């Protein structure tokens, strides 16, 4: 298997094509522009369709149509564009259409800036659009994972008939690392008997999200919640490093987790028993795993490039069993190893309150 | 005995929810007849939009998707691009198509998407109970233009056929009416042609059908038909606004 040096966004796009993505609809926005460019270059040559939509609103509704017609389909954007897609994402979740939505996060609010951020965590994992629904949210931490989690995303989308979001950021999208693609990747093509492909010799299929009878809509809501419960049982993914003996566990995902890992290694050199817990699935959140690690002998430090979003889920999981500290950078700034080490030392000195 | 009239196979027979005097039901039937005539029911995927016709997915006996408000042309694009050999039509109201969905219809037309759009213009927002639409006539009273639409407050109604006719991507545009039998027959011919154009792979076709909303117009069904003829047709003239289906060859 050949190792190739690739940019994160390119690796993600290549992985989508290998995973059988047959249609891509997008709209330009930095820092994800390499994804549509790669798709425009490659998809038409490899049996798929690329289309630049007139807006993110339109792109996500094209995804709705194509997913409803049974195709493996993807869209990508960055924060402001993902905000525009929210109504469509709610419809897709309600209609239970499989698709992959990529958010290469940039800093906000508003037009914000084009530098990396993790400020869309709440939007991604708590709903984002209207109504009660959940996305499956995967957070890559390397270029290899930009590829691997994208392939997984297509499988999970089909398996659960649910939209899956890849929540990356500007650094993961732009940086280059070696990546390996499995040769002869097996695509888990599932039957989609519900898709609107023309009612040949069968009753018409209807892709719909409207139900004006409360008794009946409530049953649909319950069915969705039951599905999400099952997803929470089966699809939790995370990585732990040195948590066995740790008395301080760093919790971070994506780019923050890369810096946190270096900080952990530095701390270990100083003899501090620091570990790292990296959620890979942000929904479902690895709450049981964090809860298991929480005891009177541990403390947690959550590191984010946001004002403090995932830390709320860490606190819910810890449920008061031990202190949960927090450190962050904002506005497109990335925490440095020194920033995190300083915080770690404060915690050991007992001065972080 | 010969059967001279029956429900098109492309209609389900589900009882429609439309108000008395509304012509959505007639227009549905014309679409169903066109699909039957061309024998494409099993090849067709329809898109219901947000508006009074949202339940169209219960009335058409073919595969259907229900789109979010204004986005039917984008949903149609998504379907058609992955299933280019299928027939795809969108059925939209005037609020849906000419207001919130203006970008989607203009760009689908500009791209020459090979789809058929049935655009039902009743000069009002029906489903949300009678607000001003982008097509509401000057002077027309609605719940949000209680003293009649004025140019100074709300500008001018939008003529979609005229607007889209400026786009090179458009193959066929015709405005028809649904207020009497003669016009309904013409509407049927136009709708069928709009499907034939798609069948021939010739690009974007839209038929605008003037229609009524007796309840929200505050009129009897008969008064509404007359109001359409007397007020809508002078502002929204009937006819073919663009047809390059022949020039392009069969
Ligand atoms: C995003 C969004 N905005 C507003 C609405 C509310 N809404 C439902 S139907 C409708 C108007 C539809 O009017 P029109 O397209 O003219 O169709 P008609 O009902 O007259 O047939 C509106 C504004 C909605 N469902 N979604």
């Amino acid at each position: 298997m050949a190792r190739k040096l690739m940019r994160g966004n390119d690796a993600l796009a290549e992985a989508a094509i290998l995973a059988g993505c047959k249609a891509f609809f997008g709209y330009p926005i930095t820092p994800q522009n390499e994804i549509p460019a790669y798709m425009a270059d490659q998809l038409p040559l490899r049996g798929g369709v690329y289309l630049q939509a007139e807006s993110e609103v339109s792109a996500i509704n094209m995804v709705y149509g194509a997913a409803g017609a049974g195709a493996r389909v993807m869209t990508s954007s960055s924060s402001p564009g993902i905000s525009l897609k929210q109504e469509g994402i709610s419809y897709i979740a309600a209609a239970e259409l499989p698709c992959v939505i990529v958010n290469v996060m940039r800093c906000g609010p508003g037009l914000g800036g084009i530098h990396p951020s993790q400020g869309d965590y709440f939007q991604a994992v708590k709903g984002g659009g209207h109504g009660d629904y959940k996305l499956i949210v995967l957070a890559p931490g390397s270029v290899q994972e930009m590829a691997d989690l994208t392939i997984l995303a297509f499988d999970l989308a089909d398996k659960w008939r649910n939209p899956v979001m890849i929540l990356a950021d500007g650094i993961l999208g732009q940086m280059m690392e070696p990546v390996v693609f499995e040769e002869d990747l097996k695509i888990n093509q599932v039957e989609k008997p519900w898709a609107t492909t023309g009612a040949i010799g069968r009753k018409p299929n209807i892709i719909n999200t409207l139900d004006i009878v409360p008794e009946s809509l409530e049953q649909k809501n319950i069915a969705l919640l039951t599905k999400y419960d099952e997803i929470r049982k089966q699809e939790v993914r995370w990585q732990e490093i040195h948590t066995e003996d740790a008395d301080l566990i760093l919790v971070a995902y994506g780019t923050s987790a890369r810096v946190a890992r270096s900080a952990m290694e530095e701390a270990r050199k100083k003899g501090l028993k620091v570990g790292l817990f990296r959620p890979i699935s942000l929904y479902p959140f690895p709450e049981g795993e964090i809860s298991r690690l929480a005891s009177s002998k541990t403390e947690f430090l959550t590191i984010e490039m946001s004002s403090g979003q995932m830390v709320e889920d860490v606190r819910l999981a810890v449920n008061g069993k031990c202190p949960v500290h927090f450190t962050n950078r904002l506005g497109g700034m990335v925490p440095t190893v020194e920033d995190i080490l300083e915080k770690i030392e404060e915690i050991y000195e007992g001065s972080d309150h | 005995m010969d059967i001279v009239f029956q429900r098109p196979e492309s209609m389900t027979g589900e009882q429609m929810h439309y108000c008395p005097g509304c012509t959505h039901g007639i227009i549905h039937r014309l679409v169903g007849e066109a699909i039957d005539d061309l024998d494409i029911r099993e090849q067709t995927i329809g898109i219901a939009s947000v508006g009074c016709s949202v339940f169209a997915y219960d009335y058409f006996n073919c595969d259907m998707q229900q789109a979010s408000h204004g986005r039917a042309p984008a949903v149609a694009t998504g379907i058609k691009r992955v299933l280019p050999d299928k027939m795809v039509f969108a059925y939209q109201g005037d609020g849906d198509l000419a207001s919130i969905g203006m970008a989607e219809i203009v760009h689908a037309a500009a791209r020459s998407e090979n789809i058929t759009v049935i655009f039902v213009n009743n000069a009002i927002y029906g489903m949300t109970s009678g607000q001003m639409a982008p097509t509401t006539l000057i002077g027309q009273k609605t719940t949000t233009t209680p003293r009649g639409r004025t140019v100074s407050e709300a500008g001018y109604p939008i003529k979609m056929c005229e607007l889209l006719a400026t786009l090179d991507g458009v193959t066929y545009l015709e405005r028809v009416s649904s207020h009497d039998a003669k016009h309904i027959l013409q509407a049927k011919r136009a709708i069928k042609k709009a499907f034939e154009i798609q069948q021939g792979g010739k690009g974007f076709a839209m038929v605008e059908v003037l229609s009524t909303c007796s309840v929200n117009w505050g009129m009897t069904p008969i008064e509404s038909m007359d109001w359409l003829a007397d007020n809508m047709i002078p502002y929204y003239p009937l006819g073919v606004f663009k047809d390059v289906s022949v020039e392009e060859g069969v």
Side-chain angles (χ1 to χ4, degrees):
Chain A
M1 277 184 282
R3 277 157 73 87
K4 262 175 91 176
L5 191 65
M6 280 184 101
R7 193 195 292 267
N9 282 338
D10 291 340
L12 183 150
E14 174 61 24
I17 299 174
L18 291 176
C21 176
K22 286 288 174 248
F24 179 92
F25 305 101
Y27 186 84
I29 185 168
T30 308
Q32 61 81 58
N33 287 324
E34 295 79 14
I35 299 174
Y38 197 98
M39 289 309 221
D41 183 49
Q42 288 293 309
L43 253 192
L45 306 178
R46 293 159 75 178
V49 186
Y50 167 84
L51 180 61
Q52 181 166 320
E54 57 271 25
S55 69
E56 290 87 350
V57 174
S58 192
I60 195 68
N61 285 285
M62 290 173 182
V63 168
Y64 178 97
R72 278 197 161 182
V73 52
M74 182 168 96
T75 184
S76 73
S77 187
S78 178
S79 309
I82 296 290
S83 293
L84 268 183
K85 288 183 197 287
Q86 291 300 330
E87 184 200 22
I89 294 174
S90 171
Y91 272 66
I92 288 170
E96 296 192 81
L97 299 179
C99 68
V100 176
I101 301 154
V102 180
N103 183 359
V104 184
M105 286 183 280
R106 58 188 255 179
C107 43
L111 193 51
I114 59 171
H115 289 91
S117 155
Q118 297 181 322
D120 304 346
Y121 177 91
F122 281 154
Q123 186 194 53
V125 307
K126 305 291 178 188
H130 59 285
D132 274 321
Y133 72 90
K134 294 288 182 192
L135 309 177
I136 296 172
V137 183
L138 303 175
S142 63
V143 172
Q144 184 66 54
E145 280 192 353
M146 290 286 269
D148 293 347
L149 294 183
T150 299
I151 293 166
L152 175 67
F154 278 98
D155 285 345
L156 292 181
D158 278 350
K159 176 178 173 190
W160 295 102
R161 283 193 61 179
N162 208 70
V164 179
M165 179 171 278
I166 302 284
L167 195 66
D169 63 60
I171 289 189
L172 287 161
Q174 299 298 324
M175 74 183 188
M176 295 186 84
E177 278 182 338
V179 54
V180 178
F181 291 102
E182 208 178 302
E183 279 158 45
D184 312 317
L185 181 78
K186 273 205 310 290
I187 297 173
N188 300 323
Q189 288 293 14
V190 303
E191 292 289 314
K192 298 181 178 175
W194 45 264
T196 58
T197 52
I200 302 176
R202 59 159 169 77
K203 283 212 176 99
N205 284 339
I206 299 173
I207 305 288
N208 175 38
T209 68
L210 177 68
D211 192 336
I212 55 168
V213 181
E215 288 80 359
S216 146
L217 183 53
E218 184 179 46
Q219 289 313 307
K220 283 186 192 156
N221 292 142
I222 291 169
L224 278 181
L225 296 186
T226 309
K227 176 172 88 170
Y228 302 148
D229 281 344
E230 208 49 49
I231 290 173
R232 280 162 55 183
K233 280 189 203 131
Q234 295 185 37
E235 305 297 355
V236 177
R237 287 171 170 82
W238 75 98
Q239 183 189 22
E240 283 176 52
I241 307 173
H242 297 326
T243 50
E244 322 77 38
D245 66 342
D247 40 35
L248 177 65
I249 298 173
L250 312 183
V251 188
Y253 70 96
T255 292
S256 305
R258 296 171 68 95
V259 189
R261 184 176 180 159
S262 303
M264 174 197 72
E265 283 159 8
E266 290 303 314
R268 285 263 160 188
K269 283 185 202 155
K270 296 185 179 189
L272 303 175
K273 286 186 181 162
V274 177
L276 173 67
F277 187 97
R278 179 171 73 96
I280 296 173
S281 59
L282 299 179
Y283 189 91
F285 190 71
E287 53 197 9
E289 290 63 29
I290 289 181
S291 167
R292 169 175 58 75
L293 292 170
S295 75
S296 55
K297 292 192 212 68
T298 52
E299 298 194 15
F300 286 85
L301 169 59
T302 304
I303 301 137
E304 290 180 70
M305 285 142 63
S306 83
S307 59
Q309 301 190 14
M310 183 180 72
V311 67
E312 292 193 3
D313 284 336
V314 177
R315 291 202 173 108
L316 282 172
V318 166
N319 200 14
K321 282 194 268 183
C322 63
V324 177
H325 307 270
F326 177 66
T327 190
N328 67 335
R329 292 304 297 269
L330 293 162
M333 297 301 291
V334 180
T336 62
V337 173
E338 295 70 41
D339 288 340
I340 299 174
L341 267 178
E342 199 178 309
K343 188 76 178 179
I344 291 172
E345 281 164 359
E346 270 174 41
I347 293 168
Y348 275 97
E349 286 160 15
S351 60
D352 180 62
H353 292 292
Chain B
M1 220 174 28
D2 286 348
I3 297 173
V4 290
F5 190 81
Q6 64 179 353
R7 186 178 74 235
E9 200 198 347
S10 300
M11 311 290 296
T12 58
E14 183 84 12
Q15 189 177 340
M16 290 185 186
H17 69 287
Y18 296 113
C19 308
C22 163
T23 60
H24 264 308
I26 293 170
I27 302 163
H28 280 15
R29 186 187 163 95
L30 299 182
V31 173
E33 287 178 358
I35 295 173
D36 273 15
D37 288 356
L38 300 173
D39 197 19
I40 52 170
R41 186 185 72 81
E42 294 184 329
Q43 308 302 325
T44 299
I45 300 136
I47 296 137
S49 60
V50 170
C52 284
S53 59
V54 66
F55 289 115
Y57 56 75
D58 279 337
Y59 307 144
F60 288 112
N61 186 24
C62 61
D63 276 4
M64 294 291 294
Q65 293 198 17
Q66 190 274 310
S68 60
H69 196 19
R71 317 305 171 200
V75 172
T77 299
I79 300 170
K80 189 73 180 185
R81 291 291 178 121
V82 298
L83 298 174
D85 300 331
K86 303 291 172 175
M87 298 289 287
V88 179
F89 77 91
Y91 186 107
Q92 301 180 259
D94 46 346
D96 193 80
L97 181 140
S99 190
I100 194 168
M102 181 61 102
E104 281 72 15
I105 193 66
V106 167
H107 285 270
R111 286 191 304 264
S112 202
E113 283 308 329
N114 193 29
I115 58 172
T116 303
V117 178
I118 310 301
F119 167 40
V120 179
N121 178 359
N122 60 8
I124 206 160
Y125 280 41
M127 191 175 209
T128 40
S129 64
Q131 296 83 359
M132 181 187 75
T135 45
T136 292
L137 297 178
I138 301 300
Q140 189 183 336
K141 283 188 180 166
T142 69
T143 61
T144 51
T145 53
R147 288 166 289 280
R149 178 176 183 161
T150 62
V151 170
S152 61
E153 285 170 316
Y156 294 91
I158 298 175
K159 299 175 178 180
M160 283 308 301
C161 280
E162 288 83 338
L163 188 153
L164 293 177
T166 63
L167 298 174
D168 292 339
V170 171
T171 303
Y172 172 62
L173 288 170
E174 181 165 351
R175 186 182 287 124
V176 295
S177 179
S178 59
H179 71 285
D180 65 19
K182 175 175 149 242
H183 287 89
I184 288 167
L185 287 175
Q186 179 53 31
K188 165 72 192 293
R189 281 192 286 274
I191 289 171
K192 186 171 170 187
K193 178 166 176 168
F195 277 96
E196 283 169 338
I197 285 166
Q198 182 181 168
Q199 213 173 19
K202 293 184 198 164
F204 182 88
M206 186 182 91
V207 179
E208 174 174 346
V209 189
L210 301 184
S211 78
T212 50
C213 185
S214 309
V215 169
N216 289 303
W217 289 358
M219 297 175 199
T220 66
I222 291 171
E223 284 165 355
S224 332
M225 302 304 158
D226 292 341
W227 192 85
L228 186 164
D230 296 342
N231 297 277
M232 287 183 76
I233 293 177
Y235 193 82
Y236 297 114
L238 306 182
V240 176
F241 288 82
K242 187 163 183 194
D243 184 1
V244 293
S245 62
V246 185
E247 291 160 39
E248 296 210 328
V250 182

